[in-house]
Amino acid sequence: MFLNIEIVDRNIDMDIAEIVQELNRRFALPLKEYYERHIIFWHDPEGEFAEEIDTLSLDNAKVLKLTGKNQFLTKKILSHDDLESNYLVYVPFDYESLEDNWLLDIEIASGSFRADLISMWMDEAKIPDELSYRKLLKQYRKFFNARERRQQFINISVGEYTQSKIMLGMMAVLVKSKSIDVGDILRAVLTAGTVMEENEAYQKLESFNLTGVFWSMVRQITGYDEKDGSNLSRLLLYLFVTAASRVLPNRAFKEIETLKGDGFETYAFDFISEWMHGVRRREFQPVAQRVEKALNFAHRLKGLSLDELGSFDLLPCVDGVVLERLLQDCLDNLVHPETIRKVCERRRSAFWYDEWESLYEGLWQYGNMLAFAEEHRTGFHLTNPREVWEAYTGNYYRMDSYYRKFHAAFAKTLGRNLPEVLDDAYKQLSEMVENHYTNDYLAQLGENWTKNIAHDLSEFGKIQEIPQQTDFYKTKVAGAKYRIFVVISDAMRYEVAATLADELAREIPSEVNLGSCQSMFPSITKFGMAALLPHENLSVKLDGSGNLAVLADGQSTDAGNRDAILKGANPKSVALKASELNLMKRSERTAKVKGMEVVYIYHDTIDAASHTDDKKVFTACHETIDELKNLVRIIINEFGGTNIILTSDHGFLYTGRPLAEDSKAGSGLAKEDIVELSRRYVITDKEAEADHLLAVNFMPENGDFKGFAPKEQIRLKVKGSGMNFVHGGVSLQEMVVPVLEFKHVRSDSAAFRKNRKQYAMKPVQVRLLSSGHKVSNMDFGLNFYQVEAAGSGFVPANYDVYFTDAYDNAISDVQRIIADKVSPESTDRSFRCNFNLKAGDYSRSAQYFLVIQNADTSEVVQKVEFQIDTAFQKEEFNFME
């Protein structure tokens, strides 16, 4: 039995007091059957209490102190001279052999007691009292001498003791690892630096004489032979090269083959991967950057194909290499759109993706633009206005969206410290984007559209058989049987509203329908806003400043008079500004709409951005989508609104680069004939003529003015800035006004109960597609598919996919599936994931599982049993035995 006493800096007085107390307790215990007294042998091999024993006084026992020369006398006393007294026999040394212990028979029959420091430390840590462990603690007495280190050793949870685990426990404490896992210990050392003299963790090991054990451990688990040099820097390079060699072809390691550890690729890959994704992730990047610089990995990776690079992400430079290759292939017109999208999709779940997201997003959109161009490579040859309009609102608008999203991504890279080659290539790509968009899309589509609408505009001032903005209030608002909210976002063009519609459908249980109407001419705010108000007749007149004012049934339609016009049609109406609502408290907002049947809310982010810097317009489009979604939620949650229409006064035309001279034109009109002139329209006296412009029968009811618009994307020459962002003309981008009808479906409604699956807004599901459930290699690929398209009751979700054993221990790396596909075609919603099994001893008869887990909720949504039959056998790490 050991005595539980903690020794702190050898406080002898305290120790002796506790020891005496324990000894008195033992001597007072009842005697065993046939025993007449207590004899206790106190072993103190270091003689730490040799001085104190001479003055030791016990309540009911005598003390005998062995000196190494009085064994016979002591045995005589115990066996002959005094057979009645209790005795404590103090033994301040170890016997070289059992034969030297003349008192062994008495000790076996009686009992022993240890109160030396090592015994106390072993008892404290619950280390079995075995000679091998005692010798080990004696050897590393310096480590265990500090109470704080002993407590850290106990806290680190060594488990069932072996000599190796005790060594691992000591190393873990010294290098500040959270576990005795050999990988964690090694990562802790390498994280502290590769210059051994400056590495605090390594110096700790050295100060406690543990570096030899450390290198022995390294050799066994990694294959690195310290005979090549006990060098942390070389070890780090060795680990990265060995790990990378598992997934990259041999030619990537030319001239550094000696750094590869044959047979240890799996362990090295696991080691680096766990480092990347583990608790020391923030410390990993500078380490990896040192490795790639030392071995010029960026140059090595450039010799590999995009397929060979695959999902490799152990080094930060890999995405730069992938992007450089992909960008160059785009610039050389050597890449198919599907290849671009495949590479970008594959990299989305890579470790370093976030740092390069804007470049990948730009390339993704460029791939979409190429696919669109390929689909319409013969141009646009539709034969009537309605056909063009329906083609645009059904499909063509997507090109505008791809272009906008490219520029939004491109804007995020400006001002970043990108590598020069990537910065130059991305800017060259932006020029190609401009060419595709401006020359192949805007010019050709604009020409087809202009030809089709020329007659109707000249004859009627509008396009026949297309819903008109001037009828909006009559057809969408007046006579509605329910309270209606109308949100008018200045300059929100159709493609922006299409993105908004998709996101609303995915995020909120609702019925969403995106329609359109033709804006008034000119497609500018004062006309568009007037058209959306209730009226029987719209007219214009020159105000005191010589500018045209738009009147609704003779009333001014300026912003300050819109509330009055709405109330004139329905007294229970109100006009509000989104910017003011956002600043109000909830109670104040609610009071504004209480009792109202028609609520108009005016929003202005896109147009406002164009007044300061038109290069910020596309960023403003993104902000508009977020702001409008938030406004919809306010209407639903605070105002109790169900029916919402989101629309606009007009769209806009935007091109990113400075316009060439052939994209500009003079009006050709005499100054005195011009009533109002802008870059995309001109209003003149009724007698004026401008043959090179498109004639528009401007407000024929007035009969006092004429309208003209430049063809296609041409801008009229007007002094001042703002050439890139324009509106007022007759392009599809300017004239197609979105009418997004949103109906919230409440969870307690009959519609929700009837179509619960459609409105429940569940995360899309991901399932295994591959049919074979057997793994025969340490690295392999599997196919998965997204069951539902995002939207219509299903929201995007992220899934982590990995393998476990029967006890839920992870046995592979974790792959991330970003399930946000919106395509109705199931073939477009597939994913390919490559897995790497951890080093281990896998049995074909054991149970293993593929786990698909929702990364946001941690819910396991699918668990598929697999058989693993590989040739790899795990090596047992017993470097001390």
Side-chain angles (χ1 to χ4, degrees):
M1 178 178 180
F2 295 114
L3 182 60
N4 293 317
I5 298 176
E6 295 186 11
I7 306 297
V8 184
D9 298 328
R10 286 292 289 116
N11 188 330
I12 295 296
D13 291 339
M14 180 189 70
D15 295 340
I16 283 294
E18 293 181 358
I19 291 171
V20 169
Q21 183 180 2
E22 174 63 17
L23 288 171
N24 283 330
R25 185 189 68 79
R26 292 191 181 200
F27 280 113
L29 290 174
L31 292 167
K32 296 179 182 178
E33 189 176 3
Y34 306 116
Y35 278 67
E36 296 181 355
R37 61 174 176 174
H38 289 294
I39 298 177
I40 297 176
F41 283 77
W42 176 5
H43 287 272
D44 181 14
E46 301 298 324
E48 292 171 314
F49 295 92
E51 295 180 3
E52 288 79 7
I53 202 70
D54 295 332
T55 57
L56 188 68
S57 177
L58 299 174
D59 292 344
N60 187 27
K62 297 178 181 179
V63 178
L64 293 174
K65 179 180 177 181
L66 296 183
T67 64
K69 297 180 180 180
N70 62 347
Q71 289 95 325
F72 178 80
L73 177 60
T74 303
K75 189 162 187 174
K76 177 176 177 291
I77 294 171
L78 297 176
S79 303
H80 183 272
D81 296 349
D82 186 355
L83 301 178
E84 296 180 357
S85 300
N86 293 328
Y87 274 96
L88 172 69
V89 181
Y90 177 72
V91 188
F93 50 79
D94 272 335
Y95 294 100
E96 292 184 5
S97 66
L98 294 178
E99 289 80 3
D100 295 332
N101 187 357
W102 292 7
L103 304 174
L104 182 61
D105 58 335
I106 300 176
E107 183 175 346
I108 293 173
S110 303
S112 63
F113 164 76
R114 288 185 180 272
D116 59 283
L117 290 178
I118 291 177
S119 296
M120 295 178 189
W121 297 339
M122 293 176 72
D123 188 45
E124 183 182 25
K126 295 182 171 54
I127 299 174
D129 186 12
E130 296 178 11
L131 183 59
S132 60
Y133 298 148
R134 181 173 293 278
K135 287 183 177 179
L136 192 60
L137 266 68
K138 184 177 181 180
Q139 180 181 353
Y140 292 98
R141 185 186 190 94
K142 179 180 177 182
F143 174 88
F144 289 98
N145 198 47
R147 180 178 181 180
E148 182 180 0
R149 282 194 297 271
R150 294 200 306 275
Q151 189 59 50
Q152 291 171 349
F153 177 86
I154 293 168
N155 293 342
I156 211 161
S157 186
V158 170
E160 185 176 345
Y161 284 103
T162 65
Q163 289 191 68
S164 296
K165 287 184 177 180
I166 292 174
M167 303 299 296
L168 289 169
M170 288 191 289
M171 288 193 289
V173 169
L174 294 173
V175 304
K176 299 181 180 179
S177 169
K178 293 184 178 180
S179 77
I180 65 166
D181 178 79
V182 290
D184 285 346
I185 293 170
L186 181 53
R187 280 185 284 269
V189 172
L190 292 174
T191 299
T194 55
V195 179
M196 292 191 290
E197 294 76 14
E198 300 175 3
N199 185 310
E200 183 179 346
Y202 188 82
Q203 290 302 311
K204 279 282 188 181
L205 295 178
E206 191 167 76
S207 66
F208 288 89
N209 199 29
L210 283 165
T211 54
V213 177
F214 171 78
W215 287 110
S216 176
M217 175 191 77
V218 167
R219 180 180 66 254
Q220 188 171 139
I221 65 174
T222 72
Y224 178 81
D225 191 347
E226 71 272 21
K227 292 178 182 178
D228 294 334
S230 297
N231 186 308
L232 291 177
S233 179
R234 182 177 174 83
L235 171 61
L236 183 65
L237 301 181
Y238 169 90
L239 287 167
F240 270 89
V241 170
T242 304
S245 68
R246 183 178 182 185
V247 291
L248 297 179
N250 287 333
R251 69 178 188 279
F253 307 101
K254 187 178 180 180
E255 299 176 353
I256 58 171
E257 294 89 348
T258 57
L259 286 172
K260 285 198 302 178
D262 293 336
F264 291 88
E265 295 88 351
T266 297
Y267 179 82
F269 186 91
D270 294 345
F271 175 83
I272 299 298
S273 181
E274 289 177 13
W275 196 354
M276 288 171 61
H277 298 282
V279 294
R280 297 183 183 274
R281 174 175 178 169
R282 285 182 298 178
E283 301 150 340
F284 177 77
Q285 184 167 0
V287 173
Q289 286 173 333
R290 288 201 302 269
V291 170
E292 66 184 21
K293 183 178 181 181
L295 297 176
N296 197 12
F297 250 110
H299 177 72
R300 296 178 180 280
L301 297 179
K302 286 179 182 179
L304 306 181
S305 69
L306 290 173
D307 283 339
E308 287 173 320
L309 288 170
S311 300
F312 177 72
D313 61 356
L314 298 186
L315 296 165
C317 66
V318 65
D319 284 287
V321 173
V322 170
L323 286 164
E324 183 180 342
R325 172 70 59 78
L326 196 54
L327 281 166
Q328 192 57 53
D329 286 351
C330 290
L331 297 178
D332 294 338
N333 294 311
L334 297 176
V335 64
H336 190 274
E338 190 56 36
T339 300
I340 298 174
R341 292 187 288 200
K342 178 182 176 182
V343 172
C344 293
E345 177 70 31
R346 188 165 53 197
R347 300 306 303 179
R348 275 212 302 173
S349 57
F351 185 79
W352 309 102
Y353 177 80
D354 290 350
E355 296 182 24
W356 304 96
E357 181 178 7
S358 55
L359 280 83
Y360 280 117
E361 175 64 18
L363 279 162
W364 176 273
Q365 298 305 334
Y366 178 68
N368 288 336
M369 293 178 73
L370 284 185
F372 183 93
E374 176 67 20
E375 183 181 351
H376 302 285
R377 61 183 178 276
T378 60
F380 305 94
H381 307 289
L382 304 177
T383 57
N384 65 75
R386 185 183 179 92
E387 190 179 10
V388 181
W389 186 278
E390 291 177 349
Y392 179 79
T393 56
N395 178 264
Y396 293 176
Y397 76 87
R398 297 183 187 279
M399 188 64 158
D400 294 317
S401 184
Y402 301 150
Y403 180 73
R404 167 175 61 85
K405 292 175 181 178
F406 173 86
H407 268 284
F410 181 66
K412 293 179 182 178
T413 68
L414 298 177
R416 278 188 57 185
N417 187 27
L418 290 176
E420 183 178 358
V421 64
L422 287 181
D423 191 57
D424 289 347
Y426 203 24
K427 287 173 180 174
Q428 289 179 56
L429 183 69
S430 72
E431 288 297 314
M432 294 181 66
V433 165
E434 293 298 327
N435 291 335
H436 282 297
Y437 183 70
T438 305
N439 302 333
D440 300 339
Y441 174 68
L442 284 183
Q444 294 184 39
L445 179 60
E447 181 182 9
N448 183 237
W449 172 242
T450 302
K451 288 179 180 178
N452 276 286
I453 64 174
H455 174 267
D456 278 11
L457 290 182
S458 176
E459 187 73 19
F460 309 109
K462 61 183 180 181
I463 304 165
Q464 302 285 64
E465 300 183 354
I466 291 176
Q468 298 297 308
Q469 190 179 39
T470 51
D471 296 328
F472 174 82
Y473 190 90
K474 293 178 183 177
T475 58
K476 300 295 183 182
V477 181
K481 298 178 181 179
Y482 41 77
R483 183 166 63 154
I484 192 166
F485 291 82
V486 177
V487 179
I488 303 169
S489 183
D490 200 328
M492 179 177 68
R493 68 179 181 181
Y494 185 84
E495 59 91 4
V496 177
T499 300
L500 173 63
D502 289 341
E503 295 189 15
L504 285 172
R506 289 199 301 265
E507 297 174 16
I508 303 175
S510 58
E511 294 177 359
V512 179
N513 176 60
L514 178 61
S516 63
C517 63
Q518 180 197 334
S519 70
M520 282 193 70
F521 176 83
S523 51
I524 60 175
T525 298
K526 64 182 176 182
F527 286 93
M529 292 298 186
L532 295 169
L533 290 168
H535 63 271
E536 291 297 327
N537 179 57
L538 290 178
S539 60
V540 293
K541 71 172 184 178
L542 290 170
D543 61 19
S545 302
N547 298 314
L548 286 175
V550 187
L551 307 177
D553 301 330
Q555 297 183 70
S556 168
T557 57
D558 288 347
N561 203 43
R562 293 169 189 166
D563 186 74
I565 295 175
L566 287 168
K567 284 181 166 58
N570 182 342
K572 295 183 178 181
S573 301
V574 66
L576 303 169
K577 290 183 179 180
S579 59
E580 294 177 356
L581 282 176
N582 289 332
L583 296 175
M584 294 179 187
K585 297 177 182 177
R586 180 168 181 162
S587 58
E588 294 173 331
R589 289 197 293 252
T590 304
K592 289 285 185 181
V593 303
K594 185 176 182 180
M596 299 297 158
E597 295 176 353
V598 176
V599 179
Y600 268 44
I601 302 174
Y602 293 90
H603 173 270
D604 183 10
T605 294
I606 298 173
D607 199 66
S610 72
H611 297 320
T612 56
D613 183 355
D614 57 10
K615 288 183 173 58
K616 296 181 179 179
V617 165
F618 283 156
T619 300
C621 290
H622 178 81
E623 294 170 355
T624 289
I625 292 169
D626 288 341
E627 290 168 2
L628 293 182
K629 287 192 297 183
N630 184 59
L631 189 54
V632 166
R633 290 187 174 93
I634 289 174
I635 293 172
I636 292 170
N637 299 325
E638 299 183 21
F639 302 164
T642 300
N643 300 283
I644 307 169
I645 300 176
L646 299 106
T647 187
S648 179
D649 50 349
H650 57 79
F652 64 86
L653 191 63
Y654 181 88
T655 50
R657 68 182 172 196
L659 271 71
E661 285 304 311
D662 60 2
S663 296
K664 307 173 188 176
S667 69
L669 294 162
K671 185 175 181 180
E672 58 271 18
D673 291 335
I674 297 174
V675 176
E676 190 166 304
L677 173 66
S678 188
R679 299 194 187 280
R680 289 290 291 164
Y681 72 93
V682 58
I683 297 173
T684 70
D685 289 334
K686 60 182 178 180
E687 303 299 331
E689 296 293 340
D691 295 338
H692 68 292
L693 299 178
L694 195 67
V696 181
N697 190 351
F698 174 67
M699 303 196 78
E701 295 84 356
N702 275 62
D704 297 329
F705 307 100
K706 276 187 175 181
F708 297 95
K711 298 176 182 179
E712 297 148 18
Q713 56 176 320
I714 302 297
R715 274 78 156 169
L716 297 176
K717 293 181 179 180
V718 177
K719 291 182 179 180
S721 59
M723 186 73 78
N724 297 88
F725 174 90
V726 292
H727 58 91
V730 295
S731 71
L732 287 159
Q733 289 76 12
E734 297 164 284
M735 293 183 70
V736 179
V737 171
V739 181
L740 196 167
E741 297 178 82
F742 174 95
K743 182 175 182 179
H744 179 228
V745 179
R746 300 183 183 279
S747 58
D748 58 353
S749 67
F752 187 94
R753 290 193 295 271
K754 184 177 180 180
N755 299 290
R756 182 178 297 274
K757 185 176 180 180
Q758 177 181 350
Y759 299 124
M761 308 310 291
K762 295 181 179 179
V764 296
Q765 301 177 83
V766 166
R767 293 290 182 266
L768 175 67
L769 183 60
S770 301
S771 56
H773 295 172
K774 181 178 179 179
V775 172
S776 56
N777 294 305
M778 297 300 287
D779 55 310
F780 55 92
L782 294 174
N783 295 316
F784 300 83
Y785 71 101
Q786 181 181 316
V787 180
E788 307 88 2
S792 300
F794 291 94
V795 297
N798 295 323
Y799 288 93
D800 287 335
V801 190
Y802 55 95
F803 280 81
T804 70
D805 60 17
Y807 304 100
D808 292 329
N809 298 309
I811 59 171
S812 76
D813 51 1
V814 179
Q815 297 299 323
R816 173 65 59 89
I817 293 177
I818 302 172
D820 59 358
K821 307 290 189 184
V822 297
S823 173
E825 299 296 328
S826 58
T827 53
D828 295 333
R829 303 197 302 271
S830 62
F831 305 88
R832 177 77 173 176
C833 292
N834 293 316
F835 295 91
N836 293 277
L837 292 179
K838 295 183 178 182
D841 186 2
Y842 298 106
S843 170
R844 69 182 67 183
S845 60
Q847 280 188 315
Y848 303 100
F849 298 93
L850 168 76
V851 176
I852 303 177
Q853 182 179 47
N854 187 305
D856 303 313
T857 65
S858 298
E859 176 189 5
V860 174
V861 298
Q862 189 178 25
K863 199 171 184 179
V864 182
E865 186 169 356
F866 265 71
Q867 182 187 50
I868 298 180
D869 185 9
T870 68
F872 185 85
Q873 297 294 316
K874 179 181 179 180
E875 183 178 358
E876 293 295 330
F877 302 136
N878 295 313
F879 53 86
M880 284 298 296
E881 297 180 353

